[in-house]
Amino acid sequence: MAELRLTPEEEAMLRGEEGPGVQKAMEIVVALGRIYGAADLVPVASVQIAGVSYKNLGDAGLEFLREWAKQGAHARVPTMLNPMGMEADRWQEMGIAPDFARPQLEVVRAFTQMGAIPTLSCTPYLLAYAPRRGDHLAWAESSAVIFANSVLGARSNREGGPSALAAAIVGRTARYGLHLDANRRGTHWVEVRAPVRDVPDFGALGYLVGKAISAGVPYFPDLAAQLPPLPTDVTLGGEAGDRLKTMGAAMAAYGNIALYHLAGYTPEARDAGADLAPPPDAPRLVIDSLEAAYAVMDRDTDVTRIDLVSIGCPHASYHELAQIADYLDGKRVKAQLWVTTARLTRERAAAAGIVQRIEAAGGYVVADTCTVVAPIQSLGVRTMATNAAKTACYAPSHSRVAVRYGSLERCLEAALTGEWK
């Protein structure tokens, strides 16, 4: 195994010449590089950190962040944060207890002291910080990593919370895994013969692929035929972006997939063509039906009364907010409706009057958080409806709720009637 090469600047960081906070960060980055056999480190264009909710971090995680901040650690590149467990300035209105809210705000304060931008979103690619093709990243949120790699053609491994923060502090990550051309070629053929029509169908497809392949690079030779063209401005979302966002999130949640290719459609597969296709004798997965996925994701079929409808996991795009507003115009919800999104996306939608239309119907357009990392149980929620495959995966275990899974229209009808029909 080749020795990890460091530049003189990197060697100085490792010796502690820029202080103990930088030294600790470089020790983490170097240790990972040596574990994975990296030849060197690569500068990163941006970092995205998961593990921001106090629900997941607890007091021990908060103290770890405070200590690192005291050591003078500070991000060198744009560094974004995943959702926390509540909305920063509406937590009281949302019914969040002060003994959760106070330490949660301290967590964010510790991150911002180290130079992180409080985007508090799992969709940094929908914001002004969207990476360009070929950018090397150190992102941690699994659904963001797979979207950046696959739909945008950037390059990131799935970082852990500490390793992403370490990469932000030194501005580098180890060059291994999906940073290397050799690891970006397809490993499995996936033939989709079932019709895949809308967001939950793409989530169901992601479930089946994630469960069957677990790890690797799925290559879809024919799925592009079931998708509209990608929008030129990906930060708005759109039908194609919203479907691929959900499919990738499901592949990452139910498996450990961080990159896929759609022949003739996603950037690398469009330009490299057959060079990225798997070998002819590579494993082949054929999807004839989505029924097995729906049987798992919409498992609580005895549940008809819905306490909360959750839309926006990964965070809702501008396009999705507009769809919801159109559906709810002139109506009033009976169940709680949370549409979770990035604060910057909400501001953009509010400027167009979209947020006001949703909230006039009794829904909440919630920033900074999502129903997976918020303390939903303490708010009295026992049943939830969603069109998000990732929520269907995590909510039963993370939030101890029963989940119904289906289309956006079916979820919004559940919000209007309080019933899953």
Side-chain angles (χ1 to χ4, degrees):
M1 184 181 295
E3 180 64 25
L4 178 67
R5 298 188 305 273
L6 299 180
T7 66
E9 181 186 4
E10 291 161 356
E11 291 278 10
M13 293 184 202
L14 190 59
R15 289 193 299 268
E17 294 180 15
E18 295 192 26
V22 174
Q23 183 179 32
K24 178 194 293 186
M26 185 56 84
E27 287 171 350
I28 292 172
V29 171
V30 166
L32 287 171
R34 288 174 176 157
I35 289 169
Y36 289 104
D40 61 358
L41 308 184
V42 59
V44 293
S46 66
V47 169
Q48 196 259 358
I49 298 172
V52 178
S53 174
Y54 178 68
K55 178 180 176 180
N56 299 330
L57 280 173
D59 291 329
L62 173 56
E63 188 53 38
F64 173 80
L65 294 173
R66 283 171 168 164
E67 183 61 28
W68 211 346
K70 287 177 185 175
Q71 292 174 346
H74 199 274
R76 296 169 190 253
V77 296
T79 299
M80 297 156 283
L81 298 180
N82 226 31
M84 62 173 171
M86 62 188 197
E87 182 168 331
D89 46 11
R90 288 207 297 182
W91 58 269
Q92 290 170 307
E93 180 183 342
M94 293 166 62
I96 304 295
D99 60 358
F100 180 93
R102 292 189 186 106
Q104 176 63 88
L105 294 173
E106 286 298 313
V107 168
V108 175
R109 188 171 296 114
F111 276 121
T112 57
Q113 284 175 351
M114 289 185 277
I117 307 163
T119 48
L120 299 167
S121 176
C122 52
T123 55
Y125 48 84
L126 294 179
L127 309 179
Y129 312 99
R132 297 170 298 181
R133 181 172 174 179
D135 280 352
H136 291 273
L137 316 171
W139 285 14
E141 162 58 38
S142 63
S143 66
V145 170
I146 193 170
F147 193 96
N149 277 320
S150 309
V151 183
L152 302 180
R155 299 186 169 211
S156 182
N157 294 316
R158 182 177 174 179
E159 301 282 350
S163 69
L165 181 54
I169 293 165
V170 301
R172 298 157 171 80
T173 192
R175 195 194 302 265
Y176 70 93
L178 293 177
H179 293 285
L180 302 174
D181 290 344
N183 296 326
R184 297 182 71 84
R185 183 179 180 183
T187 60
H188 296 71
W189 295 96
V190 182
E191 295 181 21
V192 183
R193 298 175 183 172
V196 190
R197 300 184 180 89
D198 54 14
V199 164
D201 278 359
F202 276 84
L205 174 61
Y207 164 86
L208 294 172
V209 175
K211 294 294 281 187
I213 294 177
S214 182
V217 180
Y219 186 91
F220 298 84
D222 52 9
L223 184 57
Q226 300 201 51
L227 279 162
L230 276 171
T232 53
D233 183 0
V234 73
T235 64
L236 292 173
E239 287 185 19
D242 293 339
R243 293 172 189 183
L244 294 177
K245 168 167 68 90
T246 295
M247 182 179 77
M251 280 195 269
Y254 290 102
N256 189 29
I257 296 171
L259 168 66
Y260 62 85
H261 298 297
L262 272 61
Y265 192 87
T266 49
E268 289 169 288
R270 184 178 61 238
D271 298 342
D275 291 343
L276 277 176
D281 60 350
R284 189 173 296 269
L285 174 65
V286 177
I287 308 292
D288 289 312
S289 170
L290 304 178
E291 288 183 12
Y294 274 96
V296 172
M297 298 160 76
D298 187 34
R299 76 194 85 178
D300 296 309
T301 54
D302 58 329
V303 170
T304 56
R305 183 178 178 278
I306 300 299
D307 297 329
L308 172 67
V309 174
S310 173
I311 308 296
C313 178
H315 270 170
S317 68
Y318 181 97
H319 175 258
E320 287 172 300
L321 291 173
Q323 283 184 297
I324 295 164
D326 287 345
Y327 197 94
L328 295 179
D329 275 341
K331 302 169 185 173
R332 188 76 186 173
V333 300
K334 290 184 178 177
Q336 293 185 70
L337 170 64
W338 282 23
V339 184
T340 52
T341 191
R343 185 172 288 266
L344 292 174
T345 302
R346 186 174 70 179
E347 290 173 359
R348 197 174 188 179
I354 293 170
V355 171
Q356 295 87 329
R357 289 160 59 199
I358 295 172
E359 299 201 334
Y364 279 100
V365 181
V366 183
D368 306 336
T369 189
C370 79
T371 51
V372 172
V373 298
I376 288 296
Q377 258 204 320
S378 68
L379 305 183
V381 174
R382 297 294 178 266
T383 60
M384 181 188 297
T386 187
N387 70 337
K390 187 171 181 178
T391 299
C393 175
Y394 289 130
S397 58
H398 283 225
S399 303
R400 308 291 182 193
V401 296
V403 175
R404 298 307 306 264
Y405 176 75
S407 68
L408 176 63
E409 293 77 12
R410 202 169 183 190
C411 289
L412 293 177
E413 276 302 310
L416 291 170
T417 64
E419 301 287 333
W420 187 264
K421 297 181 179 178

